[in-house]
Amino acid sequence: QVQLVESGGGLVQAGGSLRLSCAASGRTTYRMGWFRQAPGKEREFVATIVWSGGNTYYADSVKGRFTISRDNAKNTVYLQMNSLKPEDTALYYCAAKTQATGIITAGYTYWGQGTQVTVSS
């Protein structure tokens, strides 16, 4: 089992920044990801990082504005979000993937409860 706890969400004005954190505990995982779900929309991939080596990949919609990073010593993954837009408003989820194979934007087994990000215009 893996437990994931997100924090850092909140209300921010357009153009502002927020940093989300995801603390992981339990069994070892291979890859961590951030996803988001806006009201009335499907959940979508945001960013992913590998624990070992730190390779990253981003959705086109956040590339250049968001940065995913990890602190292996703290078993924590971060999502630094800059230049936020109203369309970034969503419930943000942290997720963990145990296998190295498969599509890196899908197949995540463990999920956190989510943290709300609201960007006002």
Side-chain angles (χ1 to χ4, degrees):
Q1 280 291 80
V2 176
Q3 293 76 42
L4 303 173
V5 179
E6 304 101 332
S7 61
L11 173 63
V12 64
Q13 288 188 334
S17 299
L18 280 175
R19 189 178 79 155
L20 306 183
S21 299
C22 174
S25 61
R27 63 173 290 188
T28 300
T29 58
Y30 174 75
R31 175 183 294 279
M32 300 291 291
W34 285 98
F35 292 76
R36 66 187 182 185
Q37 186 167 19
K41 294 187 177 181
E42 293 187 353
R43 186 170 59 195
E44 64 174 357
F45 166 80
V46 175
T48 184
I49 189 166
V50 176
W51 282 113
S52 178
N55 289 346
T56 60
Y57 180 77
Y58 298 91
D60 288 343
S61 58
V62 306
K63 201 173 295 182
R65 299 189 298 123
F66 291 10
T67 302
I68 189 171
S69 61
R70 92 280 189 222
D71 185 331
N72 292 58
K74 296 182 178 179
N75 289 329
T76 301
V77 173
Y78 304 97
L79 186 67
Q80 177 67 44
M81 306 184 295
N82 298 328
S83 301
L84 282 162
K85 305 174 182 180
E87 50 263 46
D88 294 318
T89 295
L91 187 60
Y92 282 71
Y93 295 93
C94 173
K97 187 170 183 177
T98 57
Q99 297 183 352
T101 57
I103 303 172
I104 64 174
T105 59
Y108 289 75
T109 306
Y110 302 98
W111 295 82
Q113 295 298 309
T115 184
Q116 178 67 38
V117 172
T118 303
V119 184
S120 63
S121 57

